[in-house]
Amino acid sequence: MSRKIAREEAVKLLYQMEMNEDFSEQTKNEYLKTNNFKEDEVEYLNRVFERLIEKLPVIDSKIEKYSEGWKINRIAKVDLSILRLAIFEIMYMDDIPIEVSINEALEISKKYSTEESSKFINGLLGSFVKEWNDING
């Protein structure tokens, strides 16, 4: 498996959850059932969603803080999903290098969003990581 595929699927699931306003365990389980994932992809998705939904208020507050006046509801849903996953990985998944989370977020944004979105995501994550590194050394 490529974690790249699992990340893309996590973004798709986050997007679906956001669009349906349903961040339930049932939604995640239905998504896993209706797609043909390898075992390690399921492990990654379960690992992420086990904590990401619980940490969503913290993650969203970081996105709002670094989005330069943009409210969460004004950010394109696909971009919001990408940002949520990247910030979650940076804050809560110590085994993933920060640079990998950022690079993967940018690759996903280039595939599923616009060039302008990639710049927005890069700028927001850059500002977030600068402060994150200052605080966490």
Side-chain angles (χ1 to χ4, degrees), residues 30-42:
E30 286 174 17
Y31 188 83
L32 293 176
K33 263 191 239 173
T34 59
N35 292 280
N36 189 21
F37 295 118
K38 295 176 182 167
E39 186 178 329
D40 48 354
E41 292 166 341
V42 171

PDB file of all heavy atoms in Angstrom, residues 30-42:
ATOM      1  N   GLU A  30     -19.223   2.560   6.819  1.00  0.00           N
ATOM      2  CA  GLU A  30     -19.891   2.355   5.530  1.00  0.00           C
ATOM      3  C   GLU A  30     -18.938   2.662   4.379  1.00  0.00           C
ATOM      4  O   GLU A  30     -18.912   1.948   3.374  1.00  0.00           O
ATOM      5  CB  GLU A  30     -21.144   3.225   5.426  1.00  0.00           C
ATOM      6  CG  GLU A  30     -22.291   2.713   6.269  1.00  0.00           C
ATOM      7  CD  GLU A  30     -23.483   3.660   6.285  1.00  0.00           C
ATOM      8  OE1 GLU A  30     -23.582   4.552   5.405  1.00  0.00           O
ATOM      9  OE2 GLU A  30     -24.324   3.512   7.189  1.00  0.00           O
ATOM     10  N   TYR A  31     -18.144   3.713   4.528  1.00  0.00           N
ATOM     11  CA  TYR A  31     -17.150   4.077   3.512  1.00  0.00           C
ATOM     12  C   TYR A  31     -16.135   2.951   3.342  1.00  0.00           C
ATOM     13  O   TYR A  31     -15.782   2.585   2.227  1.00  0.00           O
ATOM     14  CB  TYR A  31     -16.460   5.389   3.905  1.00  0.00           C
ATOM     15  CG  TYR A  31     -15.566   5.941   2.829  1.00  0.00           C
ATOM     16  CD1 TYR A  31     -16.094   6.708   1.794  1.00  0.00           C
ATOM     17  CD2 TYR A  31     -14.191   5.720   2.852  1.00  0.00           C
ATOM     18  CE1 TYR A  31     -15.270   7.226   0.801  1.00  0.00           C
ATOM     19  CE2 TYR A  31     -13.367   6.237   1.863  1.00  0.00           C
ATOM     20  CZ  TYR A  31     -13.916   6.992   0.847  1.00  0.00           C
ATOM     21  OH  TYR A  31     -13.094   7.506  -0.140  1.00  0.00           O
ATOM     22  N   LEU A  32     -15.679   2.408   4.455  1.00  0.00           N
ATOM     23  CA  LEU A  32     -14.699   1.311   4.390  1.00  0.00           C
ATOM     24  C   LEU A  32     -15.301   0.074   3.728  1.00  0.00           C
ATOM     25  O   LEU A  32     -14.625  -0.611   2.957  1.00  0.00           O
ATOM     26  CB  LEU A  32     -14.187   0.968   5.789  1.00  0.00           C
ATOM     27  CG  LEU A  32     -13.343   2.039   6.485  1.00  0.00           C
ATOM     28  CD1 LEU A  32     -12.981   1.603   7.894  1.00  0.00           C
ATOM     29  CD2 LEU A  32     -12.096   2.368   5.680  1.00  0.00           C
ATOM     30  N   LYS A  33     -16.571  -0.186   4.016  1.00  0.00           N
ATOM     31  CA  LYS A  33     -17.247  -1.357   3.451  1.00  0.00           C
ATOM     32  C   LYS A  33     -17.465  -1.234   1.945  1.00  0.00           C
ATOM     33  O   LYS A  33     -17.362  -2.214   1.223  1.00  0.00           O
ATOM     34  CB  LYS A  33     -18.612  -1.557   4.118  1.00  0.00           C
ATOM     35  CG  LYS A  33     -18.609  -2.568   5.228  1.00  0.00           C
ATOM     36  CD  LYS A  33     -20.043  -2.885   5.616  1.00  0.00           C
ATOM     37  CE  LYS A  33     -20.230  -2.537   7.078  1.00  0.00           C
ATOM     38  NZ  LYS A  33     -21.590  -2.635   7.533  1.00  0.00           N
ATOM     39  N   THR A  34     -17.805  -0.035   1.492  1.00  0.00           N
ATOM     40  CA  THR A  34     -18.160   0.147   0.084  1.00  0.00           C
ATOM     41  C   THR A  34     -16.948   0.338  -0.828  1.00  0.00           C
ATOM     42  O   THR A  34     -17.106   0.405  -2.039  1.00  0.00           O
ATOM     43  CB  THR A  34     -19.120   1.338  -0.115  1.00  0.00           C
ATOM     44  OG1 THR A  34     -18.501   2.512   0.378  1.00  0.00           O
ATOM     45  CG2 THR A  34     -20.441   1.088   0.572  1.00  0.00           C
ATOM     46  N   ASN A  35     -15.770   0.414  -0.258  1.00  0.00           N
ATOM     47  CA  ASN A  35     -14.549   0.538  -1.051  1.00  0.00           C
ATOM     48  C   ASN A  35     -13.659  -0.668  -0.792  1.00  0.00           C
ATOM     49  O   ASN A  35     -13.703  -1.264   0.278  1.00  0.00           O
ATOM     50  CB  ASN A  35     -13.805   1.835  -0.693  1.00  0.00           C
ATOM     51  CG  ASN A  35     -14.572   3.052  -1.143  1.00  0.00           C
ATOM     52  OD1 ASN A  35     -14.537   3.416  -2.298  1.00  0.00           O
ATOM     53  ND2 ASN A  35     -15.301   3.673  -0.226  1.00  0.00           N
ATOM     54  N   ASN A  36     -12.862  -0.981  -1.759  1.00  0.00           N
ATOM     55  CA  ASN A  36     -11.999  -2.157  -1.666  1.00  0.00           C
ATOM     56  C   ASN A  36     -10.601  -1.734  -1.214  1.00  0.00           C
ATOM     57  O   ASN A  36      -9.730  -1.478  -2.047  1.00  0.00           O
ATOM     58  CB  ASN A  36     -11.947  -2.859  -3.029  1.00  0.00           C
ATOM     59  CG  ASN A  36     -11.252  -4.190  -2.956  1.00  0.00           C
ATOM     60  OD1 ASN A  36     -11.150  -4.788  -1.883  1.00  0.00           O
ATOM     61  ND2 ASN A  36     -10.758  -4.662  -4.079  1.00  0.00           N
ATOM     62  N   PHE A  37     -10.410  -1.672   0.100  1.00  0.00           N
ATOM     63  CA  PHE A  37      -9.126  -1.239   0.643  1.00  0.00           C
ATOM     64  C   PHE A  37      -8.287  -2.428   1.070  1.00  0.00           C
ATOM     65  O   PHE A  37      -8.814  -3.446   1.511  1.00  0.00           O
ATOM     66  CB  PHE A  37      -9.332  -0.323   1.863  1.00  0.00           C
ATOM     67  CG  PHE A  37     -10.003   0.971   1.528  1.00  0.00           C
ATOM     68  CD1 PHE A  37     -11.228   1.293   2.080  1.00  0.00           C
ATOM     69  CD2 PHE A  37      -9.408   1.872   0.669  1.00  0.00           C
ATOM     70  CE1 PHE A  37     -11.856   2.487   1.782  1.00  0.00           C
ATOM     71  CE2 PHE A  37     -10.017   3.074   0.362  1.00  0.00           C
ATOM     72  CZ  PHE A  37     -11.252   3.380   0.918  1.00  0.00           C
ATOM     73  N   LYS A  38      -6.978  -2.225   0.984  1.00  0.00           N
ATOM     74  CA  LYS A  38      -6.051  -3.214   1.521  1.00  0.00           C
ATOM     75  C   LYS A  38      -6.036  -3.058   3.042  1.00  0.00           C
ATOM     76  O   LYS A  38      -6.427  -2.028   3.584  1.00  0.00           O
ATOM     77  CB  LYS A  38      -4.659  -2.987   0.951  1.00  0.00           C
ATOM     78  CG  LYS A  38      -4.600  -3.208  -0.545  1.00  0.00           C
ATOM     79  CD  LYS A  38      -3.225  -2.885  -1.075  1.00  0.00           C
ATOM     80  CE  LYS A  38      -3.221  -3.063  -2.589  1.00  0.00           C
ATOM     81  NZ  LYS A  38      -2.039  -2.486  -3.198  1.00  0.00           N
ATOM     82  N   GLU A  39      -5.560  -4.099   3.696  1.00  0.00           N
ATOM     83  CA  GLU A  39      -5.574  -4.114   5.164  1.00  0.00           C
ATOM     84  C   GLU A  39      -4.838  -2.924   5.773  1.00  0.00           C
ATOM     85  O   GLU A  39      -5.328  -2.297   6.714  1.00  0.00           O
ATOM     86  CB  GLU A  39      -4.961  -5.422   5.666  1.00  0.00           C
ATOM     87  CG  GLU A  39      -5.064  -5.604   7.162  1.00  0.00           C
ATOM     88  CD  GLU A  39      -4.498  -6.927   7.632  1.00  0.00           C
ATOM     89  OE1 GLU A  39      -4.553  -7.912   6.872  1.00  0.00           O
ATOM     90  OE2 GLU A  39      -3.994  -6.959   8.762  1.00  0.00           O
ATOM     91  N   ASP A  40      -3.667  -2.591   5.231  1.00  0.00           N
ATOM     92  CA  ASP A  40      -2.907  -1.477   5.819  1.00  0.00           C
ATOM     93  C   ASP A  40      -3.547  -0.124   5.518  1.00  0.00           C
ATOM     94  O   ASP A  40      -3.397   0.816   6.281  1.00  0.00           O
ATOM     95  CB  ASP A  40      -1.436  -1.510   5.408  1.00  0.00           C
ATOM     96  CG  ASP A  40      -1.219  -1.711   3.920  1.00  0.00           C
ATOM     97  OD1 ASP A  40      -2.189  -1.943   3.189  1.00  0.00           O
ATOM     98  OD2 ASP A  40      -0.063  -1.635   3.490  1.00  0.00           O
ATOM     99  N   GLU A  41      -4.311  -0.020   4.436  1.00  0.00           N
ATOM    100  CA  GLU A  41      -5.051   1.210   4.162  1.00  0.00           C
ATOM    101  C   GLU A  41      -6.175   1.378   5.187  1.00  0.00           C
ATOM    102  O   GLU A  41      -6.382   2.481   5.707  1.00  0.00           O
ATOM    103  CB  GLU A  41      -5.621   1.182   2.739  1.00  0.00           C
ATOM    104  CG  GLU A  41      -4.548   1.246   1.675  1.00  0.00           C
ATOM    105  CD  GLU A  41      -5.044   0.896   0.281  1.00  0.00           C
ATOM    106  OE1 GLU A  41      -6.105   0.261   0.134  1.00  0.00           O
ATOM    107  OE2 GLU A  41      -4.338   1.266  -0.667  1.00  0.00           O
ATOM    108  N   VAL A  42      -6.852   0.277   5.497  1.00  0.00           N
ATOM    109  CA  VAL A  42      -7.901   0.301   6.520  1.00  0.00           C
ATOM    110  C   VAL A  42      -7.298   0.672   7.872  1.00  0.00           C
ATOM    111  O   VAL A  42      -7.863   1.475   8.619  1.00  0.00           O
ATOM    112  CB  VAL A  42      -8.646  -1.052   6.586  1.00  0.00           C
ATOM    113  CG1 VAL A  42      -9.590  -1.101   7.783  1.00  0.00           C
ATOM    114  CG2 VAL A  42      -9.408  -1.311   5.293  1.00  0.00           C
TER     115      VAL A  42
END
